[in-house]
Amino acid sequence: MKGNQEEYSRYGKRSKRKKTNIILNSLIVVVLLLIIIVSYAVFSGNDNDNQAANGAENEEQTTETNENEPADTTEDVTEPADTEDEETQEDQETSGNENEENEEQTSDEVAPADSSQEVVTEGSEDSNIIRTIENPAWQPVGTVQTEHPSAVYDSSSVDWQESVKAITYATGLPEENMTIIFLGNNGVNKSVATVRSKDRTENYRVYIDWIDGEGWKPVKVEELREIQ
């Protein structure tokens, strides 16, 4: 009987040890699993944080790039300055051409005659002529006509315009301030004109002669009290 009890007791102890070992091993496995899970969670969290940080850096870089982009736009905006410079140069060239044309037109004008050479004859008190002026320094005013068989008294003709130029040259009255009362024949290639200023304070009778190849030349000017 004792032998059976001892054997039974040993068997029971072995069974308890096995159960204890199984429980311990199970706990160890559970602990290891927990460690693995926790470690995975920690490392995964770090990766996510790194990805988030990288994403934030990328967004900041993108934002900085976008903020810097207007600099390129500014460079593009400066391009019209070249166009403005070109337009300014074109305006200057146009102005220069106009100045050259004005200089050419001015060179065609006859310089005033030397007034010191004028011969002035005073008119009588009962005459309509205040004074008569003759000046040997008067020159022909020039012409574009190659032939001049006779004077032409048509206000639209070249000959008329050149006659007016000679009258302006002799009297000093600008054409825009002059009213032509009469311009007509005074002999072969000779003309006579009666003119006055727009304000009617100056009245003149002007005698002009045609010089072949040189144009009309004033020969005498009479300053009148009034135009009769």
Side-chain angles (χ1 to χ4, degrees), residues 123-142:
S124 60
E125 293 183 357
D126 58 350
S127 171
N128 190 42
I129 300 174
I130 299 174
R131 66 177 63 87
T132 300
I133 304 169
E134 297 175 281
N135 190 343
W138 283 333
Q139 299 294 324
V141 295

Side-chain angles (χ1 to χ4, degrees), residues 157-176:
S157 67
V158 173
D159 195 51
W160 177 282
Q161 296 300 321
E162 291 180 350
S163 298
V164 173
K165 187 176 181 180
I167 296 166
T168 296
Y169 168 58
T171 62
L173 281 178
E175 184 177 353
E176 61 272 13

Side-chain angles (χ1 to χ4, degrees), residues 106-131:
T106 302
S107 64
D108 292 338
E109 296 177 358
V110 182
D114 183 4
S115 60
S116 65
Q117 298 187 45
E118 288 182 351
V119 178
V120 180
T121 304
E122 299 293 334
S124 60
E125 293 183 357
D126 58 350
S127 171
N128 190 42
I129 300 174
I130 299 174
R131 66 177 63 87

Side-chain angles (χ1 to χ4, degrees), residues 99-111 165:
N99 291 335
E100 290 178 359
E101 292 177 358
N102 291 335
E103 290 176 0
E104 291 176 358
Q105 291 177 355
T106 302
S107 64
D108 292 338
E109 296 177 358
V110 182
K165 187 176 181 180

Side-chain angles (χ1 to χ4, degrees), residues 81-95:
D82 296 336
T83 304
E84 292 178 358
D85 292 340
E86 292 176 358
E87 291 177 353
T88 301
Q89 291 177 354
E90 291 177 356
D91 293 340
Q92 291 175 349
E93 291 176 357
T94 302
S95 177

